[in-house]
Short mmCIF file of all heavy atoms in Angstrom, two decimals:
data_model
loop_
_atom_site.label_atom_id
_atom_site.label_comp_id
_atom_site.label_asym_id
_atom_site.label_seq_id
_atom_site.Cartn_x
_atom_site.Cartn_y
_atom_site.Cartn_z
N ARG A 768 0.61 8.06 -3.41
CA ARG A 768 1.39 7.18 -4.32
C ARG A 768 2.88 7.34 -4.06
O ARG A 768 3.65 6.30 -4.05
CB ARG A 768 1.09 7.58 -5.79
CG ARG A 768 -0.33 7.21 -6.20
CD ARG A 768 -0.55 7.55 -7.68
NE ARG A 768 -1.88 7.39 -8.11
CZ ARG A 768 -2.37 6.22 -8.56
NH1 ARG A 768 -1.60 5.16 -8.56
NH2 ARG A 768 -3.67 6.11 -8.94
N LYS A 769 3.36 8.54 -3.94
CA LYS A 769 4.79 8.75 -3.62
C LYS A 769 5.17 8.07 -2.29
O LYS A 769 6.25 7.47 -2.19
CB LYS A 769 5.11 10.24 -3.59
CG LYS A 769 5.01 10.90 -4.93
CD LYS A 769 5.23 12.41 -4.84
CE LYS A 769 5.10 13.09 -6.21
NZ LYS A 769 5.32 14.55 -6.08
N GLY A 770 4.31 8.19 -1.32
CA GLY A 770 4.62 7.52 -0.02
C GLY A 770 4.67 6.01 -0.19
O GLY A 770 5.52 5.36 0.40
N ALA A 771 3.79 5.46 -0.98
CA ALA A 771 3.79 4.03 -1.24
C ALA A 771 5.04 3.56 -1.88
O ALA A 771 5.59 2.54 -1.55
CB ALA A 771 2.55 3.63 -2.09
N ARG A 772 5.53 4.35 -2.88
CA ARG A 772 6.75 3.98 -3.57
C ARG A 772 7.94 4.00 -2.58
O ARG A 772 8.81 3.17 -2.62
CB ARG A 772 7.04 4.96 -4.71
CG ARG A 772 6.01 4.88 -5.84
CD ARG A 772 5.93 3.49 -6.51
NE ARG A 772 7.18 3.08 -6.94
CZ ARG A 772 7.72 1.92 -6.61
NH1 ARG A 772 7.08 1.05 -5.80
NH2 ARG A 772 8.92 1.58 -7.07
N PHE A 773 7.97 5.03 -1.68
CA PHE A 773 9.01 5.11 -0.71
C PHE A 773 8.97 3.90 0.24
O PHE A 773 10.04 3.25 0.49
CB PHE A 773 8.85 6.37 0.12
CG PHE A 773 9.85 6.53 1.24
CD1 PHE A 773 11.17 6.89 1.02
CD2 PHE A 773 9.46 6.26 2.56
CE1 PHE A 773 12.07 7.00 2.08
CE2 PHE A 773 10.33 6.35 3.60
CZ PHE A 773 11.65 6.70 3.35
N LEU A 774 7.80 3.54 0.74
CA LEU A 774 7.67 2.43 1.63
C LEU A 774 7.95 1.10 0.98
O LEU A 774 8.39 0.13 1.64
CB LEU A 774 6.28 2.43 2.28
CG LEU A 774 5.92 3.63 3.16
CD1 LEU A 774 4.50 3.61 3.63
CD2 LEU A 774 6.89 3.71 4.37
N ASP A 775 7.71 0.98 -0.32
CA ASP A 775 8.04 -0.24 -1.03
C ASP A 775 9.53 -0.56 -0.93
O ASP A 775 9.96 -1.71 -1.01
CB ASP A 775 7.59 -0.13 -2.48
CG ASP A 775 8.05 -1.32 -3.29
OD1 ASP A 775 7.70 -2.48 -2.95
OD2 ASP A 775 8.77 -1.14 -4.28
N GLY A 776 10.36 0.50 -0.87
CA GLY A 776 11.81 0.32 -0.79
C GLY A 776 12.31 -0.16 0.57
O GLY A 776 13.49 -0.47 0.72
N LEU A 777 11.46 -0.27 1.56
CA LEU A 777 11.88 -0.71 2.89
C LEU A 777 11.91 -2.22 2.94
O LEU A 777 11.38 -2.89 2.11
CB LEU A 777 10.94 -0.13 3.95
CG LEU A 777 10.85 1.37 4.00
CD1 LEU A 777 9.90 1.82 5.14
CD2 LEU A 777 12.21 2.06 4.15
N SER A 778 12.44 -2.75 4.00
CA SER A 778 12.61 -4.19 4.12
C SER A 778 11.45 -4.90 4.78
O SER A 778 11.50 -6.09 5.07
CB SER A 778 13.90 -4.51 4.94
OG SER A 778 13.84 -3.91 6.20
N CYS A 779 10.33 -4.23 4.94
CA CYS A 779 9.15 -4.86 5.59
C CYS A 779 8.59 -5.89 4.67
O CYS A 779 8.67 -5.78 3.42
CB CYS A 779 8.12 -3.81 5.96
SG CYS A 779 7.46 -2.88 4.57
N SER A 780 7.97 -6.92 5.26
CA SER A 780 7.37 -8.01 4.45
C SER A 780 5.98 -7.65 3.95
O SER A 780 5.45 -8.30 3.03
CB SER A 780 7.28 -9.28 5.27
OG SER A 780 6.52 -9.06 6.45
N GLY A 781 5.35 -6.66 4.58
CA GLY A 781 4.01 -6.26 4.16
C GLY A 781 3.59 -5.05 4.95
O GLY A 781 4.25 -4.57 5.86
N VAL A 782 2.42 -4.50 4.54
CA VAL A 782 1.87 -3.31 5.23
C VAL A 782 0.41 -3.56 5.56
O VAL A 782 -0.29 -4.32 4.98
CB VAL A 782 1.99 -2.05 4.36
CG1 VAL A 782 3.45 -1.72 4.04
CG2 VAL A 782 1.22 -2.17 3.06
N LYS A 783 -0.03 -2.81 6.57
CA LYS A 783 -1.46 -2.84 7.00
C LYS A 783 -1.92 -1.35 7.05
O LYS A 783 -1.37 -0.56 7.81
CB LYS A 783 -1.60 -3.48 8.38
CG LYS A 783 -2.98 -3.32 9.00
CD LYS A 783 -3.99 -4.24 8.29
CE LYS A 783 -5.32 -4.28 9.09
NZ LYS A 783 -6.08 -3.00 8.93
N LEU A 784 -2.91 -1.03 6.22
CA LEU A 784 -3.48 0.29 6.23
C LEU A 784 -4.39 0.43 7.43
O LEU A 784 -5.28 -0.39 7.65
CB LEU A 784 -4.20 0.57 4.94
CG LEU A 784 -3.41 0.39 3.63
CD1 LEU A 784 -4.28 0.75 2.43
CD2 LEU A 784 -2.11 1.13 3.68
N THR A 785 -4.18 1.49 8.17
CA THR A 785 -4.99 1.60 9.42
C THR A 785 -5.38 3.09 9.60
O THR A 785 -4.71 3.98 9.10
CB THR A 785 -4.16 1.12 10.64
OG1 THR A 785 -5.00 1.14 11.81
CG2 THR A 785 -2.94 1.98 10.86
N GLY A 786 -6.44 3.28 10.33
CA GLY A 786 -6.88 4.65 10.54
C GLY A 786 -7.98 5.01 9.56
O GLY A 786 -8.74 4.22 9.05
N ASP A 787 -8.04 6.30 9.21
CA ASP A 787 -9.12 6.86 8.38
C ASP A 787 -8.66 7.00 6.91
O ASP A 787 -8.08 8.03 6.52
CB ASP A 787 -9.53 8.22 8.96
CG ASP A 787 -10.80 8.76 8.28
OD1 ASP A 787 -11.49 7.98 7.59
OD2 ASP A 787 -11.05 9.94 8.41
N TRP A 788 -8.92 5.96 6.09
CA TRP A 788 -8.62 6.00 4.67
C TRP A 788 -9.93 5.81 3.90
O TRP A 788 -10.71 4.91 4.23
CB TRP A 788 -7.70 4.83 4.26
CG TRP A 788 -6.31 4.76 4.85
CD1 TRP A 788 -5.95 4.58 6.13
CD2 TRP A 788 -5.12 4.87 4.07
NE1 TRP A 788 -4.60 4.51 6.22
CE2 TRP A 788 -4.04 4.73 4.96
CE3 TRP A 788 -4.84 5.07 2.70
CZ2 TRP A 788 -2.71 4.76 4.56
CZ3 TRP A 788 -3.52 5.10 2.30
CH2 TRP A 788 -2.47 4.98 3.20
N ASP A 789 -10.16 6.58 2.87
CA ASP A 789 -11.30 6.27 2.03
C ASP A 789 -10.84 5.34 0.90
O ASP A 789 -9.66 4.97 0.80
CB ASP A 789 -11.96 7.56 1.45
CG ASP A 789 -11.03 8.35 0.49
OD1 ASP A 789 -10.21 7.74 -0.18
OD2 ASP A 789 -11.23 9.55 0.39
N ALA A 790 -11.79 4.88 0.08
CA ALA A 790 -11.48 3.82 -0.91
C ALA A 790 -10.41 4.29 -1.91
O ALA A 790 -9.53 3.54 -2.27
CB ALA A 790 -12.76 3.44 -1.62
N GLU A 791 -10.53 5.54 -2.40
CA GLU A 791 -9.59 6.02 -3.38
C GLU A 791 -8.21 6.18 -2.83
O GLU A 791 -7.18 5.96 -3.50
CB GLU A 791 -10.11 7.31 -4.01
CG GLU A 791 -11.31 7.13 -4.91
CD GLU A 791 -11.07 6.11 -6.03
OE1 GLU A 791 -9.99 6.11 -6.64
OE2 GLU A 791 -11.98 5.28 -6.26
N GLN A 792 -8.12 6.58 -1.57
CA GLN A 792 -6.80 6.72 -0.90
C GLN A 792 -6.12 5.36 -0.80
O GLN A 792 -4.93 5.16 -1.06
CB GLN A 792 -6.98 7.38 0.45
CG GLN A 792 -7.33 8.84 0.38
CD GLN A 792 -7.73 9.41 1.72
OE1 GLN A 792 -8.15 8.66 2.63
NE2 GLN A 792 -7.62 10.69 1.87
N GLN A 793 -6.91 4.34 -0.37
CA GLN A 793 -6.35 3.00 -0.28
C GLN A 793 -5.93 2.49 -1.63
O GLN A 793 -4.90 1.83 -1.80
CB GLN A 793 -7.42 2.04 0.35
CG GLN A 793 -7.71 2.31 1.78
CD GLN A 793 -8.60 1.22 2.37
OE1 GLN A 793 -8.16 0.11 2.68
NE2 GLN A 793 -9.87 1.56 2.57
N TRP A 794 -6.73 2.78 -2.66
CA TRP A 794 -6.44 2.26 -3.99
C TRP A 794 -5.17 2.90 -4.55
O TRP A 794 -4.35 2.28 -5.17
CB TRP A 794 -7.61 2.49 -4.94
CG TRP A 794 -7.33 1.92 -6.27
CD1 TRP A 794 -7.10 2.59 -7.46
CD2 TRP A 794 -7.27 0.56 -6.60
NE1 TRP A 794 -6.88 1.68 -8.47
CE2 TRP A 794 -7.01 0.41 -7.99
CE3 TRP A 794 -7.39 -0.65 -5.84
CZ2 TRP A 794 -6.85 -0.78 -8.62
CZ3 TRP A 794 -7.27 -1.86 -6.49
CH2 TRP A 794 -7.02 -1.95 -7.84
N ALA A 795 -5.00 4.20 -4.26
CA ALA A 795 -3.82 4.91 -4.74
C ALA A 795 -2.58 4.27 -4.13
O ALA A 795 -1.55 4.09 -4.80
CB ALA A 795 -3.89 6.41 -4.37
N PHE A 796 -2.68 3.93 -2.84
CA PHE A 796 -1.50 3.31 -2.17
C PHE A 796 -1.24 1.96 -2.81
O PHE A 796 -0.11 1.66 -3.19
CB PHE A 796 -1.77 3.15 -0.67
CG PHE A 796 -0.58 2.61 0.07
CD1 PHE A 796 0.28 3.47 0.71
CD2 PHE A 796 -0.38 1.25 0.19
CE1 PHE A 796 1.39 2.97 1.36
CE2 PHE A 796 0.70 0.71 0.82
CZ PHE A 796 1.59 1.59 1.49
N ALA A 797 -2.27 1.11 -2.92
CA ALA A 797 -2.07 -0.24 -3.48
C ALA A 797 -1.55 -0.20 -4.86
O ALA A 797 -0.67 -1.00 -5.26
CB ALA A 797 -3.41 -0.99 -3.41
N HIS A 798 -2.08 0.72 -5.68
CA HIS A 798 -1.68 0.78 -7.09
C HIS A 798 -0.16 1.07 -7.27
O HIS A 798 0.44 0.56 -8.22
CB HIS A 798 -2.50 1.90 -7.74
CG HIS A 798 -2.64 1.78 -9.25
ND1 HIS A 798 -2.01 2.58 -10.10
CD2 HIS A 798 -3.40 0.90 -9.97
CE1 HIS A 798 -2.32 2.23 -11.37
NE2 HIS A 798 -3.18 1.25 -11.29
N SER A 799 0.41 1.83 -6.36
CA SER A 799 1.83 2.20 -6.46
C SER A 799 2.73 1.31 -5.59
O SER A 799 3.96 1.22 -5.86
CB SER A 799 1.99 3.65 -6.05
OG SER A 799 1.34 4.53 -6.98
N PHE A 800 2.15 0.66 -4.59
CA PHE A 800 3.00 -0.14 -3.72
C PHE A 800 3.27 -1.57 -4.32
O PHE A 800 4.37 -2.11 -4.08
CB PHE A 800 2.29 -0.32 -2.36
CG PHE A 800 3.00 -1.14 -1.35
CD1 PHE A 800 4.12 -0.58 -0.72
CD2 PHE A 800 2.65 -2.42 -1.04
CE1 PHE A 800 4.84 -1.36 0.24
CE2 PHE A 800 3.32 -3.20 -0.11
CZ PHE A 800 4.44 -2.65 0.51
N THR A 801 2.34 -2.06 -5.01
CA THR A 801 2.44 -3.43 -5.55
C THR A 801 3.36 -3.50 -6.70
O THR A 801 3.21 -2.77 -7.71
CB THR A 801 1.08 -3.95 -5.98
OG1 THR A 801 0.12 -3.73 -4.91
CG2 THR A 801 1.10 -5.44 -6.27
N THR A 802 4.40 -4.31 -6.62
CA THR A 802 5.40 -4.41 -7.72
C THR A 802 5.47 -5.80 -8.30
O THR A 802 5.03 -6.78 -7.72
CB THR A 802 6.80 -4.01 -7.21
OG1 THR A 802 7.26 -5.02 -6.31
CG2 THR A 802 6.78 -2.66 -6.45
N ALA A 803 6.12 -5.88 -9.47
CA ALA A 803 6.30 -7.20 -10.16
C ALA A 803 7.37 -8.03 -9.45
O ALA A 803 7.35 -9.26 -9.50
CB ALA A 803 6.65 -6.98 -11.59
N LYS A 804 8.34 -7.39 -8.84
CA LYS A 804 9.51 -8.08 -8.34
C LYS A 804 9.36 -8.57 -6.91
O LYS A 804 9.77 -9.71 -6.60
CB LYS A 804 10.74 -7.13 -8.43
CG LYS A 804 12.05 -7.80 -8.14
CD LYS A 804 13.19 -6.83 -8.42
CE LYS A 804 14.55 -7.48 -8.14
NZ LYS A 804 15.64 -6.51 -8.49
N ARG A 805 8.78 -7.80 -6.03
CA ARG A 805 8.70 -8.17 -4.64
C ARG A 805 7.24 -8.57 -4.23
O ARG A 805 6.32 -7.86 -4.58
CB ARG A 805 9.15 -6.99 -3.77
CG ARG A 805 10.65 -6.73 -3.86
CD ARG A 805 11.08 -5.59 -2.98
NE ARG A 805 10.63 -4.34 -3.45
CZ ARG A 805 11.32 -3.58 -4.29
NH1 ARG A 805 12.46 -4.03 -4.82
NH2 ARG A 805 10.86 -2.42 -4.71
N ASN A 806 7.15 -9.66 -3.57
CA ASN A 806 5.86 -10.20 -3.22
C ASN A 806 5.51 -9.79 -1.77
O ASN A 806 5.66 -10.57 -0.84
CB ASN A 806 5.84 -11.72 -3.35
CG ASN A 806 4.48 -12.31 -3.10
OD1 ASN A 806 3.45 -11.62 -3.29
ND2 ASN A 806 4.41 -13.57 -2.72
N LYS A 807 5.13 -8.54 -1.57
CA LYS A 807 4.79 -8.05 -0.24
C LYS A 807 3.30 -8.06 -0.06
O LYS A 807 2.52 -7.91 -1.04
CB LYS A 807 5.28 -6.64 -0.10
CG LYS A 807 6.81 -6.47 -0.11
CD LYS A 807 7.28 -5.08 0.21
CE LYS A 807 8.78 -5.01 0.30
NZ LYS A 807 9.27 -3.66 0.65
N THR A 808 2.86 -8.31 1.21
CA THR A 808 1.45 -8.39 1.46
C THR A 808 0.88 -6.99 1.70
O THR A 808 1.58 -6.09 2.16
CB THR A 808 1.18 -9.23 2.69
OG1 THR A 808 1.83 -8.67 3.85
CG2 THR A 808 1.66 -10.67 2.47
N LEU A 809 -0.39 -6.82 1.40
CA LEU A 809 -1.09 -5.59 1.63
C LEU A 809 -2.39 -5.91 2.28
O LEU A 809 -3.22 -6.71 1.77
CB LEU A 809 -1.31 -4.84 0.29
CG LEU A 809 -2.27 -3.60 0.35
CD1 LEU A 809 -1.62 -2.49 1.18
CD2 LEU A 809 -2.52 -3.12 -1.09
N LYS A 810 -2.68 -5.28 3.42
CA LYS A 810 -3.96 -5.51 4.11
C LYS A 810 -4.71 -4.22 4.16
O LYS A 810 -4.16 -3.15 4.53
CB LYS A 810 -3.69 -5.99 5.55
CG LYS A 810 -3.00 -7.37 5.61
CD LYS A 810 -2.71 -7.83 7.05
CE LYS A 810 -2.03 -9.17 7.05
NZ LYS A 810 -1.67 -9.57 8.45
N TRP A 811 -5.97 -4.28 3.70
CA TRP A 811 -6.81 -3.06 3.64
C TRP A 811 -7.34 -2.65 5.00
O TRP A 811 -7.34 -3.49 5.94
CB TRP A 811 -8.04 -3.36 2.71
CG TRP A 811 -7.67 -3.88 1.39
CD1 TRP A 811 -7.74 -5.22 1.00
CD2 TRP A 811 -7.18 -3.18 0.23
NE1 TRP A 811 -7.35 -5.37 -0.32
CE2 TRP A 811 -6.97 -4.13 -0.80
CE3 TRP A 811 -6.88 -1.86 -0.01
CZ2 TRP A 811 -6.52 -3.76 -2.06
CZ3 TRP A 811 -6.41 -1.44 -1.25
CH2 TRP A 811 -6.23 -2.42 -2.25
N CYS A 812 -7.83 -1.48 5.08
CA CYS A 812 -8.57 -1.07 6.28
C CYS A 812 -9.85 -1.99 6.40
O CYS A 812 -10.46 -2.28 5.37
CB CYS A 812 -9.04 0.34 6.18
SG CYS A 812 -7.70 1.55 6.30
N ASP A 813 -10.17 -2.30 7.63
CA ASP A 813 -11.36 -3.17 7.81
C ASP A 813 -12.58 -2.29 7.90
O ASP A 813 -13.13 -1.99 8.95
CB ASP A 813 -11.18 -4.00 9.10
CG ASP A 813 -12.31 -5.02 9.26
OD1 ASP A 813 -13.03 -5.25 8.29
OD2 ASP A 813 -12.42 -5.62 10.32
N ASN A 814 -13.06 -1.84 6.70
CA ASN A 814 -14.25 -0.98 6.67
C ASN A 814 -15.12 -1.36 5.52
O ASN A 814 -14.95 -2.40 4.90
CB ASN A 814 -13.86 0.50 6.63
CG ASN A 814 -13.02 0.86 5.39
OD1 ASN A 814 -13.10 0.17 4.34
ND2 ASN A 814 -12.21 1.90 5.49
#
């Protein structure tokens, strides 16, 4: 979650989760990365 908040502050238009993530790890990232102000895209691991 802390990592997601840090990455939300960057200028990227979106993120793609890649590698070995389980469902709860992906959800923790999404829950903290998604904000009301910035409309950034989030792509899940393809699993």
Side-chain angles (χ1 to χ4, degrees):
R768 291 181 185 276
K769 291 177 182 178
R772 296 299 307 125
F773 175 78
L774 295 175
D775 174 58
L777 303 181
S778 58
C779 60
S780 59
V782 298
K783 171 73 171 74
L784 306 184
T785 185
D787 188 16
W788 295 68
D789 66 29
E791 289 305 317
Q792 290 169 337
Q793 292 188 74
W794 185 250
F796 184 94
H798 203 253
S799 296
F800 181 75
T801 310
T802 69
K804 189 174 180 180
R805 289 182 288 274
N806 186 25
K807 294 185 176 182
T808 61
L809 170 66
K810 296 178 182 177
W811 309 100
C812 292
D813 188 12
N814 60 26

